[in-house]
Amino acid sequence: MNVSEFAISQNRAASRADSTIANQRSQAQNFMRWCDGEGVSYLPASPAIVERYLLWLAEERHRSVSTISCALWAINRLHRESSLPEPGQHPDVQTAMAGIRRRFGAPPRQKRPLTIVELGKFEYDAGPDGLRDRAAVLVGSAACLRIAELCNLRRADVRTSRYGVQVFVRHSKTDRYGVGHWVDVPRSSQHPECCPVAALDAWLAAGDPQTWLFPLLAPGAFWTRQATRHYFDGLIKALVTRAGLDPR
């Protein structure tokens, strides 16, 4: 069987999500910059250096345990890709992580979901932008989507159903291999002002997106630019503040 090196490389790259690769690259670069500032080697990095870095993240930078664990994972992968022993496997580093978890561990902070009454208090901008934002917020809330999943929805990922519409979530945090699944978005007859299906219909009629379901306006007045997590994070914060709600 004649398989090219390019095909092998592409298949290996597909084993991890783009966000995972970007996170690893960012964490590895942070570690390398710290090592440069300390005047020590980052490849290979001694277990003692890695232990110091992890403690620096915890005590000086006040990073969460999950962020520190991601940093160690990136350091280990950086060494593994260079065929070097992983510092995180050393007993001293494992003991350091155990101490960090015990000293700095805290239950995850999960924000309270918005109620239908609170969603009804949101005031959106006029025009197509406001229609898109309203549809995105209501559809995302009704389908219990993460912001990343909302950003990745395409126009082709919507189909009508008996009770409203369904959206196809191509990738999710719990779907490691991107199999995808359909999620129901029912109509709301009791709260028509917050009906996600009606809001989506209004947006599709006004914006007529071709690729992304909730795109941003690109240069030339075309709805072709994919929305970002940063955009929707800012939108939700602005809507919550404008409605006088508790941002927590």
Side-chain angles (χ1 to χ4, degrees), residues 57-138:
L57 289 177
E59 296 184 346
E60 301 295 330
R61 304 299 294 173
H62 307 293
R63 297 294 186 253
S64 67
V65 171
S66 62
T67 297
I68 297 171
S69 297
C70 286
L72 180 57
W73 160 77
I75 295 169
N76 283 336
R77 190 169 187 96
L78 181 67
H79 283 69
R80 187 165 65 249
E81 289 175 348
S82 299
S83 300
L84 294 170
E86 299 179 16
Q89 299 301 320
H90 193 279
D92 287 350
V93 177
Q94 294 179 348
T95 300
M97 276 304 303
I100 288 172
R101 291 190 185 96
R102 182 175 291 275
R103 293 173 59 207
F104 301 99
R109 293 180 298 173
Q110 189 169 9
K111 292 187 177 182
R112 177 182 61 82
L114 293 164
T115 67
I116 192 72
V117 174
E118 290 170 331
L119 289 171
K121 294 180 179 180
F122 285 174
E123 297 179 0
Y124 301 90
D125 295 337
D129 280 345
L131 291 175
R132 176 206 55 215
D133 293 345
R134 183 170 181 267
V137 169
L138 293 178

Side-chain angles (χ1 to χ4, degrees), residues 119-183:
L119 289 171
K121 294 180 179 180
F122 285 174
E123 297 179 0
Y124 301 90
D125 295 337
D129 280 345
L131 291 175
R132 176 206 55 215
D133 293 345
R134 183 170 181 267
V137 169
L138 293 178
V139 168
S141 178
C144 298
L145 300 180
R146 295 180 174 88
I147 290 183
E149 297 165 356
L150 195 65
C151 293
N152 288 328
L153 286 179
R154 298 173 179 267
R155 177 64 182 86
D157 294 337
V158 181
R159 69 183 184 187
T160 58
S161 68
R162 180 179 178 182
Y163 300 104
V165 298
Q166 291 180 322
V167 294
F168 187 69
V169 180
R170 297 171 181 265
H171 298 277
S172 67
K173 195 171 184 179
T174 56
D175 180 14
R176 291 183 58 190
Y177 299 108
V179 175
H181 60 284
W182 289 96
V183 179

